[in-house]
Amino acid sequence: MPFVKHPAAAEPRWHEWDRKAQKSGLRHTVFAVTGDRYTGEWLDNLRHGKGTQIWKRTGAVYSGDWKFGKRDGYGSYSIPDPVTKEYKKVYTGWWKNDKKCGCGTRLYGGGERYEGEWSGGQRSGWGRLYRRDGCVYEGQWRRDRPCGQGMLRLPNENRYEGGWKDGMKHGPGKFFYLDTGQLFEGVWAADVPKYGIMIDFGRDEAPTPTQYPIPKIELADPDGVLEEARAMFDDSQK
C-alpha cells in the first residue's frame, strides 16, 4: 500500500509562524533588546516607509521616512531637555543613508541656528548660520566649516565679504566698517589681514565717523604696488 502524506503534515507549523512574524507593509511596534522602540511601516522585516524610532538610553526620537532600515527622506530628530524633560526638535530636514543630507535646519544651544545644505551628516554647500553672539554667516560650507565665498555680518552691522577656508577669513575680501564709514579691501590668511588699503566709505551716513577723513594716497602705480604685494604674499605661502 503506497504511503499517503497527511495534509496537515505537509508543512511544519513553525513555517506558518515565521511568515506571520515577518513584518512587511503594515504598521508594527517592535522593541529591541536595548529597549529602543520603533513604530511604523516595514518591508522585508526592515523599517521602511513612515515610522518613529525612540532610543531608550538618550530618549531621542526620530519621526519620518525610512528606507531599508535607515533614515532616508524627510524627518525630524528631537531630544528631551535635561531640565524640563520636554522634547525639542534639533534637526528638521532631509536624510540619506541614516545621515543628514540635502536641505535642513539644525538648532543648537543658546539660540544658535543653521539653515542650509548638508552632506554626509555635515554642513556642506550653501547655508546660513545665526550664531549665539549675534553674528550671522551666510555663504559656502565644506566639511562643517565656512569655506569658499561668504559674508559675516556683525551685530553692529559691520560685515566681511570674501573668501573663507577652514572656518576663517582667507583670500581676497572686503571689510565694511559701517559704524565709522570706512572700508578695508585686501587679502586675509587664517583670519589675519595681510595687506590691503583702507578708504572712507559712506562717511557722511556713518553713525560714528572718525574725526578726520582718511587722506587720499597718491601713487604713480597703485595697481602695480598691490600686484607686487600679492605676488610676495603668494610666494611666502608656498
Side-chain angles (χ1 to χ4, degrees):
M1 180 177 177
F3 175 77
V4 179
K5 191 175 182 180
H6 194 278
E11 182 181 57
R13 181 66 60 85
W14 65 268
H15 282 186
E16 180 182 355
W17 295 340
D18 185 63
R19 282 197 303 272
K20 291 181 179 180
Q22 294 296 313
K23 298 172 288 296
S24 184
L26 300 178
R27 293 180 63 85
H28 297 274
T29 297
V30 175
F31 290 85
V33 293
T34 59
D36 299 345
R37 182 171 82 248
Y38 172 81
T39 300
E41 298 173 321
W42 298 78
L43 178 65
D44 296 334
N45 221 31
L46 294 173
R47 292 165 292 184
H48 191 90
K50 301 290 185 180
T52 300
Q53 169 88 13
I54 302 176
W55 288 267
K56 181 180 180 180
R57 186 179 65 83
T58 62
V61 176
Y62 170 80
S63 182
D65 296 325
W66 297 79
K67 187 175 181 180
F68 301 118
K70 295 183 178 181
R71 290 170 289 187
D72 201 300
Y74 190 84
S76 62
Y77 182 78
S78 306
I79 59 174
D81 186 276
V83 178
T84 65
K85 305 303 180 183
E86 294 182 358
Y87 275 89
K88 56 181 181 181
K89 290 183 179 180
V90 294
Y91 177 78
T92 302
W94 293 90
W95 302 73
K96 186 176 182 180
N97 199 28
D98 223 28
K99 295 181 179 180
K100 305 177 190 72
C101 188
C103 294
T105 299
R106 173 73 161 88
L107 302 179
Y108 304 90
E112 194 162 293
R113 181 174 84 255
Y114 171 82
E115 302 171 347
E117 297 177 307
W118 299 77
S119 179
Q122 295 183 325
R123 293 169 291 190
S124 185
W126 180 94
R128 182 187 295 117
L129 176 67
Y130 297 88
R131 298 190 337 197
R132 64 188 68 189
D133 60 5
C135 296
V136 179
Y137 171 81
E138 181 175 353
Q140 295 175 308
W141 294 74
R142 183 184 180 191
R143 296 179 181 176
D144 227 30
R145 293 182 178 183
C147 189
Q149 293 296 307
M151 179 188 72
L152 177 67
R153 187 173 70 246
L154 278 60
N156 62 2
E157 297 301 324
N158 290 348
R159 70 179 186 272
Y160 167 81
E161 299 178 2
W164 294 78
K165 183 179 179 182
D166 296 330
M168 296 181 287
K169 306 177 194 70
H170 194 90
K174 298 178 181 180
F175 201 107
F176 295 85
Y177 295 91
L178 300 182
D179 55 344
T180 59
Q182 295 175 322
L183 166 65
F184 177 81
E185 182 175 2
V187 173
W188 276 255
D191 243 10
V192 179
K194 292 299 182 178
Y195 65 87
I197 58 174
M198 179 80 80
I199 63 174
D200 284 327
F201 181 84
R203 178 182 173 82
D204 295 337
E205 294 79 24
T208 57
T210 55
Q211 184 177 0
Y212 302 104
I214 298 176
K216 292 184 178 180
I217 299 176
E218 298 293 340
L219 292 175
D221 185 14
D223 293 336
V225 172
L226 283 177
E227 186 61 33
E228 182 179 353
R230 182 179 293 111
M232 293 175 61
F233 174 74
D234 291 341
D235 289 342
S236 67
Q237 299 300 303
K238 293 181 180 179

